DNA sequence: GTGCGTGTAGTACCGGGGTACGACGCGGGG
DNA sequence: CCCCGCGTCGTACCCCGGTACTACACGCAC
C-alpha cells in the first residue's frame, strides 16, 4: 500500500487528487496540506511514501518544502505537480531533491503511473518538460556564441522569474493579480516589473506586452 | 436527477469534477468535453440540465460556446467555472447567457450548491465577483445592446476613429503621444480610450493591446 | 571567506491612466 | 425639422503603475 500526502493550496485540486488516489486499491491518502509548513509537519508525522507537491503555496512554497524534506533525510519521495511548466521550476524542483515533475493537465492514468514509479524509486518527468530540461542543462555548459539557444536580444537578459512575470503581463494581469496568483507581495511584483522594463528598454507595461508578442513569448489567441 | 456536462480542457480537472458530482446521488455526469465544439455537440445530444464550462479551451472558448448554446434555445443552463476571476470574463460570460460564474478554488460544497442552484433556475456568482460585477453592469448600461461578442465582433462595434486609436495604442503610444501626433486634446483621447475599453470589454489599455493583437488589428513585428 | 546575482519585501512619492460628468458642433436619417 | 451618433474638449477625481531608494536571505563562484 502506497501512502500519499497531498500538498496544494486549492481545495478543489486536493479533492480531485484525493478522489483519484482513493479509487485505487493500492493507494491511501494520509493527509492534505494547504501550504508548505503543513506539508512538512504532516510528512514528519506520517512519513508517507510519496508527497504530491504543488509549487505555488502560501507561507512556504513547494520547492522549499521539498528541499527541507529531502535535507531532513525523510524517506518520503516528492513528486511535484503544478500548472506551470516553466524551466526554472522544473530545474529547481529536481535540484531540491524531488523525484519527479508532472504538469496538472496530465491524464489521471499518467499521474497514477507517475506516483507508482516514484514510490518504487524511479524518477519521472513530464514529456513536455523533458525537452526544456535538457535545454536548461545545456545552458549551464560553456556557452557557444550564436548557439541554437539564443533568444531575442531584448529578453535574453531576463531571468526565468522575470520572463515568467513578463508572460503573465502579456496575458493582461495587473500587478495585484500577479501578486495574488503567484503568492507574492505587490511590492515584489513591482520590483520585477521595473527591472523587466529597464532590461527590455520598455517605457511601460504596454510596450512590454508588445515586446512579449513580438518575441513570441506570448502568442495571439 | 440533475444531468451535468463537464467542459474543460484539463483531464485532471474533469476527473475532479466528475468524482465530486458522481459522489452525489442526485447528480449524473452525462458527458465530458475538452473544447467548445465538443461541448456544443454533447449539449445538443444529451440536453443536460447544467453545463460546467471552463473558459480557456482550445478551438472554441467557453464564452463563445455558452453564447451558442443559449442562442440555440437549449434548456441547458451554463455554469462557468474558471481559475481566473477577471472582470471581463465574468461580464462576457454572464452576458453570453450563463447562469452563474464560480472560481475553481471554491470549496467542493460551494460548487455543488452552485450547480443545484443553477439547475433549479437560480443564478450564482462567486462572492468575490459580485461586487465588481454590479459595478461593471451599471457602467455598461448606456452602451452596447448585447450584440455578438466574438473576438472580431468586439472591435466591429468600434467607429473608424476608435479603431484608429486602438491601433496606435497597440503600437505602445501613450495618451499624450496620441494627442500630439493626431492633433487632439488629451481629454479627447481619454474619451476615446474609455469608449474603446467599454465597447471591447477591456479593463485597461493593456488588455486592449492584447485584443488588438488577437484580432490582428496590429501584428507582431 | 567575500562578493555577486537573484528573489523577496518595504516605504515614499509622483505622474499618467481611467472614470464620471457635462458640453458643443456637425451631419445624416427618421 | 429634429434627433442621434460621432467626434471634439473640458474639469475634477481616484487609483494603479512605475521610480527610487533600502534591505535581507540564499546559493553560487571565486
Amino acid at each position: 500500500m502506497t501512502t500519499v500526502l497531498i500538498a496544494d493550496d486549492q481545495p478543489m485540486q486536493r479533492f480531485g487528487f484525493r478522489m483519484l488516489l482513493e479509487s485505487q486499491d493500492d493507494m491511501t491518502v494520509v493527509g492534505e496540506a494547504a501550504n508548505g509548513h503543513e506539508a512538512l509537519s504532516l510528512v514528519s508525522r506520517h512519513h508517507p511514501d510519496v508527497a504530491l507537491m504543488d509549487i505555488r503555496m502560501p507561507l512556504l512554497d513547494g520547492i522549499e518544502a521539498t528541499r527541507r524534506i529531502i535535507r531532513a533525510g525523510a524517506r518520503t519521495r516528492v513528486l511535484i505537480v503544478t500548472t506551470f511548466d516553466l524551466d526554472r521550476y522544473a530545474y529547481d524542483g529536481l535540484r531540491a531533491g524531488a523525484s519527479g515533475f508532472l504538469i496538472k493537465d496530465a491524464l489521471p492514468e499518467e499521474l497514477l503511473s507517475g506516483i507508482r514509479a516514484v514510490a518504487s524509486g524511479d524518477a519521472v518527468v513530464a514529456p513536455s518538460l523533458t525537452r526544456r530540461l535538457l535545454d536548461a542543462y545545456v545552458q549551464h555548459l560553456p556557452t557557444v556564441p550564436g548557439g541554437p539557444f539564443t533568444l531575442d536580444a531584448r529578453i535574453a537578459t531576463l531571468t526565468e522569474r522575470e520572463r515568467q512575470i513578463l508572460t503573465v503581463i502579456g496575458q493582461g494581469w495587473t500587478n495585484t493579480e500577479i501578486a495574488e496568483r503567484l503568492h507574492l507581495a505587490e511590492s515584489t511584483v513591482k520590483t520585477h516589473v521595473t527591472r523587466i522594463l529597464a532590461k527590455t528598454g520598455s517605457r511601460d507595461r504596454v510596450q512590454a506586452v508588445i515586446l512579449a508578442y513580438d518575441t513570441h513569448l506570448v502568442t495571439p489567441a
Side-chain angles (χ1 to χ4, degrees), chain A:
Chain A
M1 180 66 74
T2 305
T3 53
V4 182
L5 169 73
I6 300 173
D8 195 310
D9 62 335
Q10 295 197 352
M12 260 308 298
Q13 195 72 53
R14 289 201 304 273
F15 184 87
F17 283 142
R18 175 181 277 275
M19 287 302 102
L20 174 62
L21 301 192
E22 296 288 12
S23 73
Q24 306 296 306
D25 47 15
D26 63 334
M27 296 188 185
T28 325
V29 177
V30 296
E32 295 188 16
N35 61 61
H37 286 306
E38 283 185 27
L40 288 180
S41 73
L42 287 176
V43 162
S44 66
R45 189 187 314 165
H46 297 110
H47 305 290
D49 299 313
V50 178
L52 277 190
M53 186 76 69
D54 186 27
I55 289 187
R56 299 165 6 188
M57 288 189 296
L59 299 181
L60 191 71
D61 66 68
I63 300 288
E64 186 56 31
T66 299
R67 187 170 294 117
R68 299 192 188 179
I69 289 175
I70 300 302
R71 199 183 296 166
R75 58 182 293 277
T76 300
R77 304 180 192 273
V78 179
L79 178 54
I80 292 180
V81 186
T82 186
T83 44
F84 285 178
D85 55 348
L86 295 177
D87 299 347
R88 180 171 181 80
Y89 285 165
Y91 191 66
D92 288 354
L94 292 177
R95 231 163 39 110
S99 296
F101 197 97
L102 295 180
I103 307 180
K104 279 185 181 169
D105 66 1
L107 296 172
E109 302 80 52
E110 294 175 348
L111 184 69
L112 290 172
S113 66
I115 293 176
R116 294 196 178 92
V118 169
S120 65
D122 290 336
V124 290
V125 174
S128 61
L129 286 178
T130 317
R131 176 75 225 161
R132 302 202 203 180
L133 209 66
L134 288 178
D135 292 355
Y137 174 70
V138 172
Q139 256 183 343
H140 285 256
L141 298 176
T143 52
V144 182
F149 302 114
T150 54
L151 297 167
D152 187 288
R154 288 169 291 177
I155 63 170
T157 62
L158 297 182
T159 66
E160 275 306 320
R161 191 57 153 172
E162 288 163 353
R163 214 186 314 276
Q164 180 196 8
I165 304 271
L166 177 53
T167 302
V168 297
I169 289 179
Q171 318 271 342
W173 297 19
T174 64
N175 289 341
T176 311
E177 287 171 345
I178 297 175
E180 285 175 357
R181 299 175 195 175
L182 263 47
H183 303 297
L184 296 175
E186 187 170 345
S187 60
T188 304
V189 177
K190 284 187 169 188
T191 303
H192 285 307
V193 171
T194 299
R195 286 178 188 159
I196 291 171
L197 298 184
K199 284 187 179 179
T200 60
S202 304
R203 178 175 49 197
D204 49 38
R205 70 201 292 113
V206 173
Q207 293 196 344
V209 169
I210 296 173
L211 184 71
Y213 272 92
D214 290 350
T215 58
H216 302 98
L217 232 192
V218 298
T219 50

